[in-house]
Structures are given as C-alpha cells and as structure tokens.
Amino acid sequence: MTTPIAIVMLGTGDFALPLFESLHAAGHRMLALVTQPDRPQGRNQELIPSLIKQSAVRLGVPVLQPENVNAPEGVAAVAALSPDMLVTAAYGQILSAELLSVPRLGAINLHGSILPAYRGAAPVARAIQRGETEAGVTVIQMTPKIDAGGMIAVARTPVDPDETAGELEDRLARIGAPLSLEAIENIIAGRAQILPQDASLVTRAPKLKKEDGVIDWTRSAAEIHNLVRAMQPWPIASTTWTALPWTPAGPLRIIVHKTRPVAGEGAPGVVLTAAKDELVVAAGQGAIQLLIVQVPGKKPMSAAEFLRGRHVQPGDRMGD
C-alpha cells in the first residue's frame, strides 16, 4: 500500500517520464516538476516542450524551469514547496548540497546503469557502444558527486544484440519506475538497505557529441555494429561514400541506421559487395552489411533502395 508523500520531481529526458507518471498514479502529492528550459529544436529551431513537461501540464502538476536550479532563487523556489523528497531522473544538472538538504527524506535518483559502472550523462549509449550484454537501473541516494551515492535498489536485464540505445532506454525506464516506487516505500518505512558503491569498479559514460557517431572503419565489425546501435536516437552513426574513380561531386554523407556484422575481408572501409539488396563494407576485422541508410534530405531507406539510386561498386570507399 502506497504511503503518500509530497514530492518534487526533477527530470527532463524521456527516461524520466514513466517514473514521473508512476509517482502521480501511485497517489503521491506531486508538488512540482522541475525541468530544463525549453530549447530550440529542429530545422526551424522551435521551442518544443519535453514529453515530461507536456505530461505535467496535462496532469495539472506545476512546472518550474530554472536555468540553474542550484542558484539561490532555484533553491528557494523548491524549499518554498516543503517537499518530503526530491526524486530525479535524466534531469541534466548536478544538484548542490544546499538543494539536497531541503527535503526531510532526502533525494533519490534513478540512473540507467548497474552502478558503479557507467556514471555520467549517457550510460545506456555507452554500455551498448562497449558491447555490454547486460544492462540495468540503479536507485541511489543523491549526493553532490555525479552518480556516487549509496545504492538503494538495482534491477538487471539482458541486452538484445540488435537493440538500440533508444529501445533499451525505453525498457529501462519502464523497469525503473516500479523499482523507484518500491525504494520510496522502503525509505518511508525506514527499512531501506543502502549499500556503498565500490569506487574501484567505477567507469564513466560521458555525454554524447555529434562526432561520436562517425564510423571508424578500422574498428572491428562488432564494434561498428555496436556504435550504430549506441548512437540511436542521437546523434545517429554516419559515414561517407566516395565513388571510384573520384568525381568532382566528392564524398556523399550517409546516415547509417541499421547494420549486421558478416564475414568478409578487405581494406577497412572498402565496399566488398554492392548488388541487389546487399551492401557490404570491410571493417578492421570482418565486415558490415548496411541494412538501412539515409542520405541528407531523404527518408531512411533499405540498402536495395539506396543501391537502385546510387551507382555503388566494389572497390568504392566508405569513410575518410
């Protein structure tokens, strides 16, 4: 049975949405959602509210969007609400000790990894990039240090070898919501068991940059396949195609959505097969079959569609 408490939720990314809606559905008093200010998005640079902000407005939960929640006015705004607990997930700012001292029951965070592995802004993407076969979520006590607090609850799940970061993150968010509710009940009842993280096992998950998606064809086929999966939904893996002999048009940028590691040998980045529906490129070890690609200004297409529109030949180059 849920014991209702007064909660301020801090979250911005889609990973936080299932937890926010679960807290509301469970009967907790949602005093406010603190979320990052709306940012310009898309070609027209429109200010588009996040999904979690849209949900808060729909549910009638007040929304606060400070540029810096740790600034005196940000701390004062949260303190004025007198929350019992702060609950965070994918918020995007480190919380100060002053802010964390506001709620009587402290603050917890839902993190998208099995801590202490993959502390940082992009735990799911980095785990897939490194070929992890198991992922998970951890509910931790919040501290001013990044993802370093004591562990309250952990859940694990296998990773499908073709699962993208976006797909896995959605699954982990749904796994993490009930886990967090259970952790909150245990904290309220005074029965939460909090375990310290082993500092010797810490690994990092730095924020993704656009250049992280550029394919390095000297990597193995498995590593390239993992990169393609990890870079979705952003920044999306990409490469360039240069036809031989070289033409004044120069290389064409290709966005790579889906791949498959296959057998094959050749100089890294050289096209081995370009026939019908099969486009295979040599990697540093093995080869990669490109299954779904996209050229700028067009929609994603199958390799067969791409090959019908472009005169790709064995011996052409992918990448620099």
Side-chain angles (χ1 to χ4, degrees):
M1 181 177 178
T2 300
T3 305
I5 60 172
I7 291 175
V8 170
M9 172 89 185
L10 296 93
T12 304
D14 294 352
F15 179 75
L17 180 59
L19 174 53
F20 173 72
E21 294 185 338
S22 294
L23 289 168
H24 185 275
H28 291 293
R29 289 195 297 123
M30 304 304 292
L31 302 176
L33 168 70
V34 180
T35 190
Q36 297 276 2
D38 300 341
R39 307 294 186 192
Q41 298 181 48
R43 187 173 296 176
N44 297 323
Q45 292 294 280
E46 296 179 80
L47 290 176
I48 301 174
S50 63
L51 292 180
I52 194 170
K53 179 183 176 181
Q54 294 177 46
S55 177
V57 171
R58 186 171 61 253
L59 294 172
V61 177
V63 177
L64 306 178
Q65 294 184 276
E67 279 289 347
N68 179 6
V69 73
N70 298 306
E73 58 272 21
V75 175
V78 174
L81 297 171
S82 299
D84 295 318
M85 181 181 289
L86 302 183
V87 178
T88 76
Y91 174 53
Q93 291 184 29
I94 301 169
L95 305 189
S96 67
E98 184 180 8
L99 182 60
L100 293 174
S101 69
V102 168
R104 67 178 183 88
L105 293 175
I108 65 168
N109 177 60
L110 176 66
H111 185 71
S113 79
I114 304 168
L115 289 169
Y118 300 108
R119 290 183 184 176
V124 179
R126 297 303 186 185
I128 285 185
Q129 185 179 359
R130 291 167 195 166
E132 300 288 359
T133 58
E134 183 182 58
V137 288
T138 309
V139 180
I140 60 170
Q141 284 184 317
M142 288 289 288
T143 72
K145 294 184 179 180
I146 298 175
D147 304 322
M151 300 180 294
I152 304 167
V154 179
R156 302 167 183 266
T157 184
V159 179
D160 185 272
D162 292 320
E163 195 167 20
T164 67
E167 292 166 344
L168 178 57
E169 188 169 282
D170 287 346
R171 281 207 301 118
L172 291 176
R174 294 193 297 272
I175 292 169
L179 187 74
S180 300
L181 292 180
E182 182 180 355
I184 290 169
E185 282 297 309
N186 288 336
I187 291 170
I188 295 168
R191 59 174 180 262
Q193 295 184 341
I194 301 171
L195 302 176
Q197 296 186 39
D198 185 342
S200 69
L201 300 178
V202 170
T203 58
R204 303 292 178 183
K207 184 177 180 179
L208 294 175
K209 304 184 294 294
K210 193 168 184 178
E211 54 266 32
D212 288 336
V214 177
I215 295 173
D216 176 359
W217 291 100
T218 65
R219 298 285 187 176
S220 71
E223 289 174 306
I224 293 170
H225 179 62
N226 291 338
L227 177 78
V228 171
R229 296 162 54 217
M231 295 298 111
Q232 296 186 53
W234 191 89
I236 306 291
S238 66
T239 188
T240 55
W241 162 55
T242 304
L244 296 179
W246 184 86
T247 63
L252 173 71
R253 181 170 180 262
I254 299 174
I255 301 164
V256 181
H257 290 272
K258 190 173 182 180
T259 57
R260 177 190 297 137
V262 294
E265 291 185 10
V270 169
V271 175
L272 301 178
T273 306
K276 295 184 179 179
D277 62 347
E278 199 171 349
L279 178 56
V280 177
V281 183
Q285 182 179 345
I288 282 288
Q289 184 176 0
L290 303 182
L291 300 176
I292 298 178
V293 298
Q294 183 180 5
V295 296
K298 302 291 185 180
K299 294 181 179 180
M301 66 188 80
S302 67
E305 293 173 295
F306 175 74
L307 290 171
R308 281 197 295 270
R310 306 282 172 176
H311 189 54
V312 184
Q313 302 180 75
D316 287 358
R317 298 284 309 194
M318 295 282 182
D320 296 334

